[in-house]
Amino acid sequence: HRNRGFETDITLYPAIWGGGKLGITNTISLSTYRNKVTDVKGGYNYTPVAGFSDVHKTIVKGEPLGVIIGNTWLRDGAGNRIIGSDGFPLVNNTKQIIGNPIPDFTLKTTQRISYKKFEFSFDIEWEKGGDRWNGTEALLDYYGRSAGTGTLRNITNYVFYGVQTNGTRNNIPVSFYSPSAPLSQNRWVRYGHAGVAEAYIQRADAIRLRNIGI
C-alpha cells in the first residue's frame, strides 16, 4: 500500500491585546493525498474492509484503498442501460467498483481565543471530493418514506431511456407504483433494501465543525 500526498500549515501566532490578557491564534492547513494498493496476497484480492455483503469498501490491487464495490445497472457495450421486458432497467449483480472515497483535498482552519486563564477553540474542516454510498436514501426509497418516492410514486407511462435486450430503443411505458400490481414490482421495492448501489453513489463534499473546546 503506497500513500503519497502533502500537508501544509500556516499559523498566525498570538496577536495580543489588552496588556496580554487577550490572545488570538489562527491556523490554516491544506492536505491532499492519493493512495494505491500495490499488491495483495493471493486469494485476498477484493477483500471487504467495511460495509455490507452487497455494497462495501474493499481492497483491490491497483486501486485506491477502500474503493466502493457494489452492483450496477446492466449496460450494453455502448454504455446504454438494458431494459427488461417489463419496462424496468435490469441489474448487473456482478460487483464492480462504483466509487472512490478519497477526497480531492481537505482544508482546515483552527481558531484559538484566550483571555486570562480561559481559552476557547474550534476547528472547521472543508473536505472536497470523494464518493460515499448513501444507504439511508436507499432504505428510505425501499420503504416509500423518502421525498423522492413521495414525489414520483404517481408517475405513469414513463419510458426509461435505454435499449431492450434485442438492442432496439426502449419504448415500454411503466408506472412507478400501481395499486393493482404486487408491491414487489414497484419502482423501488423491486431492487431490494439496498437498491442498485450505483444509483446511490454521491459526492461527499462537506463542511464540518470538527471540535469545540473551552
Side-chain angles (χ1 to χ4, degrees):
H1 172 227
R2 178 180 297 139
N3 187 55
R4 293 176 175 174
F6 73 87
E7 180 174 1
T8 181
D9 295 326
I10 299 175
T11 300
L12 174 63
Y13 284 97
I16 305 298
W17 291 276
K21 295 179 180 179
L22 177 65
I24 299 177
T25 303
N26 309 95
T27 299
I28 297 176
S29 67
L30 174 68
S31 63
T32 182
Y33 69 96
R34 298 291 179 267
N35 64 39
K36 182 178 180 179
V37 177
T38 57
D39 200 10
V40 181
K41 183 178 178 180
Y44 287 90
N45 206 23
Y46 284 85
T47 297
V49 294
F52 305 96
S53 61
D54 47 3
V55 54
H56 45 260
K57 294 182 178 180
T58 191
I59 299 172
V60 181
K61 184 176 179 179
E63 299 291 340
L65 181 65
V67 288
I68 304 170
I69 299 291
N71 60 3
T72 61
W73 300 113
L74 187 64
R75 301 179 187 274
D76 64 10
N80 298 305
R81 284 197 298 183
I82 298 177
I83 311 300
S85 58
D86 60 358
F88 285 92
L90 298 177
V91 180
N92 179 5
N93 284 314
T94 300
K95 301 295 188 295
Q96 299 183 44
I97 296 173
I98 57 176
N100 177 7
I102 308 301
D104 298 331
F105 64 82
T106 301
L107 183 66
K108 180 179 177 181
T109 177
T110 299
Q111 309 292 324
R112 288 186 173 84
I113 302 171
S114 61
Y115 181 71
K116 295 184 177 180
K117 295 183 179 181
F118 297 92
E119 181 179 88
F120 173 70
S121 64
F122 60 92
D123 299 334
I124 297 177
E125 181 181 278
W126 174 31
E127 190 172 85
K128 172 109 173 29
D131 300 314
R132 297 291 186 274
W133 174 69
N134 192 339
T136 301
E137 184 179 355
L139 279 173
L140 289 174
D141 281 352
Y142 178 84
Y143 287 112
R145 303 298 295 174
S146 67
T149 55
T151 302
L152 303 176
R153 65 166 54 99
N154 294 322
I155 287 181
T156 59
N157 295 318
Y158 183 86
V159 177
F160 282 98
Y161 183 80
V163 297
Q164 298 178 21
T165 53
N166 60 9
T168 60
R169 182 64 60 190
N170 178 51
N171 60 359
I172 305 172
V174 299
S175 297
F176 282 11
Y177 170 73
S178 174
S180 62
L183 180 65
S184 60
Q185 294 182 15
N186 82 29
R187 163 68 179 81
W188 299 276
V189 177
R190 64 174 50 239
Y191 297 115
H193 286 83
V196 179
E198 175 189 17
Y200 294 99
I201 290 293
Q202 300 175 354
R203 293 278 290 180
D205 299 350
I207 296 177
R208 299 182 179 91
L209 179 61
R210 278 294 191 186
N211 296 293
I212 297 179
I214 296 177

